[in-house]
Amino acid sequence: MGLKDLLITFTLSLAFCAGCSDFNRFYKEKRQTPGIGKDTVAVVNSERITKEELIRSLEALPVKQRIIYISDPDRLREYLDSYINQILLYKEAKRKGIDKREDIKQKVERYKRRLLIQALGEEILNRDVSEKEVERYYRENQRRFEQVRISSIFIKVAPEQGVDREEARKRAKLLTERARRGEDFKRLAEEFSDDKILRDKGGDMGYFLRGQLPGEIDEVAFSLKQGEVSNPIETKKGFYVVKVTEGPSVLPLERVRGRIRFELRKTLFSEYTKELREKAGVEVFEDRLKEITKR
């Protein structure tokens, strides 16, 4: 267990120990004390923790985790105890001057930098994209939204098993010819494919958009018509025989609208950073960069 995990475990254990105290009696007495309003849920060294403060803290949690705490009084109490322990540990760390250590200052600065970059990125990526922009992008990039469903047979190059590259090529070519003559592709895949996953699925690889398949297969798959079988496709590990079982066809706009909005926002972000680089006059010294990789 690392130091970070140990600290987390220690904090949680403190929370459970604190849960054994008579918190209800403590709270009942304190809420009657002058200066402590009805919105106070706990007092730590005379400092109040209000309902609003606790709720804000809960809202920073992931939704599922937040629901667990707010739907069960016992779990909410656990969270409050943990929150109190965090306050105490934070104050103790400051008392010891840990916040003034140089390594801590550097970490805080790095964290602050990440937060600011993230905030700016979200501001750019959350820009509203009009329906006209989406439709125009869809019209101009139809090929990107072509989908195909394929099945394949894989013949592995395995010299240790007496199957060199030429032998694997011959086997793949023979299977291509058999499939083109009308033999059931699924049965051929189940009997001859060297890829167990493909063999168990009868060769079915599912649906793919253009660009999602490995380069050699992608180009061939989208050049075939539905029902056609490819020539053996050579890869480093062996040969694929591919059959298009559905498509290629362009997905309707309704299926890709969200994807298009994301792509447009990514483009906007890229253009924004490019503009910043141009304004800043960025210059990279490639020769010096290579010196680092040679160490």
Side-chain angles (χ1 to χ4, degrees):
M1 180 183 290
L3 179 58
K4 183 178 179 182
D5 294 329
L6 183 60
L7 284 171
I8 292 172
T9 303
F10 179 67
T11 302
L12 289 174
S13 68
L14 286 177
F16 282 108
C17 288
C20 298
S21 66
D22 190 4
F23 178 82
N24 290 330
R25 180 175 58 81
F26 169 80
Y27 175 64
K28 184 177 180 181
E29 292 172 356
K30 286 294 184 181
R31 70 180 179 180
Q32 302 300 327
T33 304
I36 298 180
K38 292 182 178 180
D39 64 336
T40 300
V41 294
V43 177
V44 181
N45 288 334
S46 75
E47 293 185 19
R48 299 186 305 127
I49 299 175
T50 65
K51 291 178 183 177
E52 183 181 355
E53 180 184 348
L54 191 64
I55 290 170
R56 280 201 307 269
S57 175
L58 285 162
E59 286 175 346
L61 297 174
V63 175
K64 288 183 179 179
Q65 192 175 357
R66 183 166 71 244
I67 291 173
I68 289 173
Y69 284 121
I70 64 176
S71 61
D72 185 334
D74 291 334
R75 296 303 300 275
L76 182 59
R77 169 58 191 279
E78 288 176 19
Y79 181 80
L80 174 60
D81 286 332
S82 178
Y83 187 74
I84 290 170
N85 290 340
Q86 289 177 44
I87 293 173
L88 293 171
L89 289 168
Y90 172 73
K91 288 183 178 294
E92 181 65 9
K94 291 202 71 173
R95 188 187 69 78
K96 288 177 173 289
I98 293 176
D99 58 320
K100 303 214 170 27
R101 277 173 27 189
E102 195 57 37
D103 62 322
I104 297 299
K105 287 181 180 179
Q106 290 176 8
K107 288 178 181 178
V108 168
E109 188 58 34
R110 285 197 295 270
Y111 184 63
K112 178 181 175 182
R113 180 179 176 181
R114 288 199 301 271
L115 281 178
L116 290 173
I117 292 170
Q118 182 181 336
L120 177 60
E122 289 174 353
E123 187 177 297
I124 297 167
L125 293 173
N126 286 337
R127 171 188 172 272
D128 186 45
V129 176
S130 71
E131 188 60 28
K132 286 185 179 180
E133 289 177 286
V134 171
E135 292 174 356
R136 182 171 64 250
Y137 187 92
Y138 180 73
R139 288 195 305 271
E140 295 174 356
N141 297 274
Q142 294 271 304
R143 279 172 57 86
R144 297 193 63 177
F145 305 113
E146 282 187 317
Q147 179 179 262
V148 69
R149 183 176 186 178
I150 63 172
S151 289
S152 68
I153 301 170
F154 177 65
I155 302 301
K156 184 180 180 180
V157 174
E160 69 282 0
Q161 297 175 14
V163 184
D164 59 16
R165 186 160 291 273
E166 282 310 307
E167 176 61 25
R169 190 192 309 274
K170 288 178 183 177
R171 293 185 182 185
K173 188 175 180 181
L174 177 61
L175 288 167
T176 297
E177 293 170 353
R178 291 176 63 174
R180 285 176 175 173
R181 285 198 298 266
E183 287 193 52
D184 183 55
F185 196 90
K186 179 180 178 182
R187 188 186 64 76
L188 291 173
E190 291 171 342
E191 187 173 349
F192 297 106
S193 182
D194 291 326
D195 184 312
K196 185 179 184 305
I197 295 176
L198 287 177
R199 191 166 63 242
D200 292 345
K201 293 183 177 181
D204 183 38
M205 292 181 67
Y207 294 91
F208 297 90
L209 287 171
R210 186 183 288 274
Q212 289 184 328
L213 287 161
E216 313 95 324
I217 300 176
D218 193 84
E219 184 178 349
V220 173
F222 283 91
S223 69
L224 299 173
K225 295 178 182 178
Q226 184 166 313
E228 287 187 330
V229 178
S230 73
N231 290 322
I233 304 170
E234 186 172 1
T235 67
K236 186 177 180 180
K237 294 183 178 181
F239 294 84
Y240 283 90
V241 178
V242 171
K243 179 178 181 179
V244 173
T245 55
E246 290 183 34
S249 58
V250 179
L251 291 173
L253 176 58
E254 290 69 26
R255 292 273 303 277
V256 295
R257 184 175 275 105
R259 180 187 178 95
I260 292 174
R261 289 185 184 279
F262 178 73
E263 290 294 330
L264 287 171
R265 286 169 178 151
K266 269 204 329 182
T267 300
L268 180 66
F269 186 81
S270 179
E271 291 172 351
Y272 187 88
T273 53
K274 182 180 178 182
E275 185 180 339
L276 289 177
R277 290 173 70 93
E278 290 173 352
K279 286 180 179 178
V282 175
E283 185 176 3
V284 178
F285 301 97
E286 299 290 350
D287 55 336
R288 297 173 190 175
L289 190 63
K290 290 177 182 177
E291 290 175 3
I292 298 174
T293 61
K294 292 178 181 178
R295 289 183 179 182

